[in-house]
Amino acid sequence: MFRFVLEGKDKESKARFGYFETIHGRVETPIFMPVGTVGSVKTVTPDELKDIGAQIILGNTYHLHLRPGDDVVKYFGGLHKFINWDRPILTDSGGFQVFSLSELKDINEEGVTFRSHLDGRKIFLTPEKSIEIQSNLGSDIMMVLDECVPYPCEKDYVKKSIELTRKWAIRCKNAKINSWQALFGIVQGGVYKELRRVSAEQIVEIGFDGYAIGGLSVGEENILMYDITDFTTDFLPENRPRYLMGVGTPEDILECVERGIDMFDCVMPTRNARNGLLFTSYGKLHIKRQEWKLSDKPIDPNCNCYTCRNFSRGYLRHLYKAGEILALRLNTIHNLHFYISLVKEIRNAIKSGCFKKFKREKLEMFKIGGDNV
């Protein structure tokens, strides 16, 4: 069964720390969840994820339903056994991928009809179907099906959309099968504060194990995302975890922890690693740059990940320029280690009562730029 414990709060901000428990273990918050879209965090093994310190990973309902099929995953005993991961898993509802990947889609109160990006076949996704798929996957935390509106979006459409999200959330809750699987509600409302308040109050009234803020980091300016996040968390219960979906940069995580967020996920560390952009305690570093050809420095002198302990920038640049798969793996190990270490440091700073000072110093260091160190 799912249980969340809020252990403490920062005196100068809305930052907080705690933990939640699932049948696959405990997760300390604030937490960053590596994204394992199709049942794997790209280029790294489950054991490497554990070595990095990952406590929970994310799987994607849409992609796993299309391939290999949630019925296949169920046959193998659920996603944990299928991918050999014995720690918690969160699955999204599939809604975001429907709205972002499918050019042709038809949304109505019953559900959404769309065409697969793999073979073009028509698929009808309802709230009940999303819960059925996630039940077959056997994730520890399921997400309700919602409509993620684009940015910008007309207020009248967003107003209708949050009502659809409310109705779908009720149907998801009623369709829930396994008592041990947690179900999180999702607050929508675009960048309109009054609609965010209405959506938050509606979703909280339905009652869920945790609450997510969706529909941000979709093109709006960062300052607007921070403002809407700060506003929305005021309407979410303190005794439930708060999840900001699809966010974000190290700066975003620091800013949004300050605004009361507990959980984050994003493809940024893994995707950027595969494109040669690395995160360091001094900001971003581009490993493909010519200046690293003869550099014997590690990526980050303050990092103790496997990559930084064993390899130079010169070697990592060589691997990347040569198109070696090892480059992608070593870069990913570093970036994930950086993100997971960052949230661990954030937790400790909140516990120690020095979060604001920690945040200020981190942001100043990021401005230096990893390429300048």
Side-chain angles (χ1 to χ4, degrees):
M1 297 293 289
F2 185 88
R3 183 173 77 105
F4 175 70
V5 176
L6 178 61
E7 294 184 289
K9 298 189 291 183
D10 180 51
K11 293 181 179 179
E12 299 181 83
S13 71
K14 293 159 73 173
R16 30 191 258 161
F17 69 95
Y19 63 88
F20 58 81
E21 293 178 332
T22 75
I23 64 169
H24 289 100
R26 173 187 290 201
V27 174
E28 295 180 310
T29 62
I31 190 65
F32 177 81
M33 302 178 287
V35 176
T37 303
V38 295
S40 72
V41 177
K42 291 187 187 302
T43 78
V44 294
T45 68
D47 283 346
E48 286 168 334
L49 284 171
K50 291 179 181 179
D51 290 342
I52 291 166
Q55 299 181 59
I56 178 173
I57 62 173
L58 184 145
N60 185 266
T61 294
Y62 169 91
H63 288 285
L64 290 168
H65 173 59
L66 295 184
R67 185 172 56 191
D70 53 286
D71 54 337
V72 173
V73 175
K74 183 179 181 180
Y75 172 83
F76 281 95
L79 192 55
H80 291 86
K81 291 184 178 179
F82 190 51
I83 69 174
N84 193 30
W85 175 257
D86 58 5
R87 295 182 181 181
I89 297 174
L90 180 149
T91 47
D92 58 16
S93 67
F96 179 78
Q97 282 69 32
V98 169
F99 301 115
S100 63
L101 295 179
S102 302
E103 294 182 4
L104 299 175
K105 52 184 176 287
D106 178 34
I107 306 167
N108 57 49
E109 188 169 319
E110 184 57 29
V112 55
T113 302
F114 63 97
R115 291 194 179 277
S116 164
H117 75 287
L118 296 177
D119 56 16
R121 64 189 168 98
K122 189 177 290 187
I123 298 171
F124 184 47
L125 183 66
T126 66
E128 293 80 9
K129 184 63 177 178
S130 175
I131 295 299
E132 178 189 335
I133 296 168
Q134 294 182 79
S135 298
N136 286 341
L137 297 176
S139 55
D140 298 272
I141 300 174
M142 304 184 293
M143 303 302 300
V144 300
L145 183 66
D146 64 323
E147 182 183 9
C148 180
V149 297
Y151 175 83
C153 189
E154 292 294 330
K155 187 174 182 179
D156 285 345
Y157 186 90
V158 179
K159 189 174 183 179
K160 294 176 184 177
S161 177
I162 64 169
E163 176 60 15
L164 183 65
T165 290
R166 182 189 70 85
K167 291 178 178 178
W168 283 2
I170 293 172
R171 288 167 58 187
C172 283
K173 184 175 181 179
N174 291 338
K176 188 169 179 281
I177 300 169
N178 301 315
S179 61
W180 57 269
Q181 285 184 290
L183 180 62
F184 281 22
I186 303 176
V187 176
Q188 289 288 349
V191 295
Y192 304 101
K193 286 186 176 179
E194 60 189 276
L195 297 183
R196 284 283 173 180
R197 176 185 59 79
V198 170
S199 181
E201 290 174 346
Q202 289 176 341
I203 298 300
V204 170
E205 184 179 3
I206 296 169
F208 292 97
D209 299 298
Y211 296 92
I213 300 175
L216 292 179
S217 192
V218 291
E220 77 281 0
E221 293 182 356
N222 282 354
I223 192 65
L224 183 56
M225 176 181 74
Y226 301 154
D227 187 38
I228 295 296
T229 299
D230 191 33
F231 177 83
T232 306
T233 53
D234 285 342
F235 299 95
L236 301 180
E238 284 205 336
N239 64 344
R240 294 289 186 270
R242 302 163 178 171
Y243 168 25
L244 184 57
M245 305 180 76
V247 175
T249 67
E251 293 87 348
D252 291 340
I253 291 174
L254 286 161
E255 294 288 355
C256 294
V257 164
E258 184 177 22
R259 290 159 172 81
I261 296 297
D262 306 305
M263 301 169 62
F264 301 87
D265 81 282
C266 191
V267 297
M268 192 164 286
T270 49
R271 180 175 292 168
N272 279 320
R274 299 193 304 276
N275 290 313
L277 193 153
L278 306 174
F279 295 94
T280 81
S281 54
Y282 298 99
K284 297 173 183 176
L285 180 146
H286 300 79
I287 199 62
K288 64 187 83 172
R289 289 176 62 157
Q290 173 72 16
E291 65 194 89
W292 308 135
K293 185 175 183 178
L294 299 178
S295 174
D296 61 357
K297 296 178 181 178
I299 296 169
D300 186 346
N302 298 320
C303 180
N304 68 345
C305 77
Y306 173 79
T307 303
C308 287
R309 290 198 317 268
N310 291 282
F311 304 105
S312 66
R313 295 182 187 184
Y315 178 62
L316 295 169
R317 177 187 181 274
H318 157 67
L319 290 178
Y320 189 83
K321 298 293 284 186
E324 285 293 321
I325 294 173
L326 183 58
L328 313 185
R329 285 178 35 74
L330 293 176
N331 290 351
T332 300
I333 286 170
H334 169 79
N335 274 359
L336 286 176
H337 183 277
F338 175 84
Y339 265 69
I340 290 168
S341 295
L342 176 64
V343 291
K344 185 176 181 179
E345 291 173 1
I346 289 172
R347 285 196 298 269
N348 291 334
I350 301 170
K351 290 178 183 179
S352 302
C354 60
F355 171 72
K356 292 280 280 188
K357 178 175 180 288
F358 171 84
K359 178 200 162 195
R360 184 172 61 251
E361 291 175 350
K362 279 289 182 184
L363 291 177
E364 283 300 316
M365 285 185 69
F366 291 161
K367 290 178 183 177
I368 296 172
D371 288 321
N372 298 317
V373 176

